[in-house]
Amino acid sequence: MENNFVEILQIIKQSRTNAIKAVNAELINLYWNVGMYISNKLKLSDWGDKTVADLSEYLQRNNPELKGFNSRGLYRMIQFYESYPENHKLIIDSERSFEPKNQSSTIVSSLMTQFKTIDVKSSTIAKISWTHHMTIFSRCKLNEEREFYIKLCIRENYSVRELDRQINSSLFERAMTSENPKSVMPKNSKTDIQDVFKDSYVFDFLNLPDSHSESELQKGLLNRMKDFILELGRDFIFIGEEYKLMVGNSDFHIDLLFYHRGLQCLVAFELKAGKFKPEHIGQLNFYLEALDRDVKKEHENPSIGILLCKDKNNQVVEYALSRSLSPTMVAEYRTQLPDKELLQQKFSDIFEDENEPNNNQD
């Protein structure tokens, strides 16, 4: 009987979640359309800044229960609309027509022609909260950067705090300057190894000195496991530290062992506080073989090894991995956040290089 009670509770929780999502989509739809209306008025020179201030005063006087419609809030709505206008791909990717479906989507004025609202409730921008949007469009200048974080929030179900942490760590810039940017770019496909792992991680939350030992790195990550998993990404489940493997009559220990729900496999992390060396791969492959033979369950996929080192030479890594049959990756870690201005410049250079051929064409 109690199982039936649990099912009812799940139904209630799911309905509550659906209701919250519906309310959020309606709010996003409202703010976007208000922003569109005012933006168009300002562009046509029908309105000025004083008119916006008068509108805010009018709304608060006639509807004092309204929140967020002061002058500052209205300009945020304008910025929101202008960041994602009606021809933006995050708007037009929804499965709906721009034409209003009923009379409720048309505002009639006795002094003006009709203003038609646009239903964006099923668009991508309606899938995250207004607070998420305020964080993104106030801090991200590039369209590509905003789209990156919106899709990341949707895929990873980030809280605002988690989103703020990823922006602070320059996740977008690191993805764009990475040799394998697809490793952190959001995708709508099934979970894939290249979607999960990055080639660079930032552990600024550890506050480690530049010169530190592997044991200090391991201890710091264990003490800040929540932040560590946030940097890794969702779906990681921590299993243990110094995970014991017995092969023959000898004991071996994996620095950190995780399980990834999406990939359905064990993930072994080996920590190296120095530069990558080819012999590190042999050690990690040995651990993966032991995990697959003695620990992995039948329904699980082959184990993955991640070698986290302070520095690496990409050519040495390529040579070391060229004949490795095990799913092994080598990633760098940093103990300080990257220089944001430097990464922004690199990102600009990337896009300038991509645009050069088009500029030369007749």
Side-chain angles (χ1 to χ4, degrees), residues 61 77 172 198 230 236 241 244 246 272 318 328:
R61 183 175 65 251
M77 295 174 200
F172 173 71
K198 315 170 193 176
L230 174 59
F236 280 92
E241 60 172 310
K244 184 178 178 180
M246 183 176 291
K272 302 298 178 183
E318 181 185 354
T328 306

Side-chain angles (χ1 to χ4, degrees), residues 67 114 209 244 276 339 362:
K67 303 296 182 183
Q114 293 180 340
K244 184 178 178 180
F276 169 78
D339 188 318
D362 294 331

Side-chain angles (χ1 to χ4, degrees), residues 72-98:
R72 183 180 180 185
L74 292 176
Y75 276 106
R76 281 176 175 169
M77 295 174 200
I78 296 169
Q79 182 185 5
F80 183 49
Y81 163 74
E82 292 178 349
S83 297
Y84 317 111
E86 54 266 40
N87 61 347
H88 196 283
K89 62 180 178 179
L90 294 183
I91 300 296
I92 62 177
D93 62 0
S94 59
E95 297 178 359
R96 51 98 183 98
S97 169
F98 283 128

Side-chain angles (χ1 to χ4, degrees), residues 142 144 148 170-182 184-185 343 346-347 350-351 354:
L142 299 171
E144 295 83 1
F148 175 89
S170 304
L171 179 61
F172 173 71
E173 291 91 337
R174 284 190 284 141
M176 293 300 99
T177 57
S178 168
E179 290 194 358
N180 183 21
K182 292 183 179 180
V184 290
M185 287 296 287
L343 289 177
K346 286 185 177 180
F347 176 75
I350 290 173
F351 275 83
E354 289 180 355

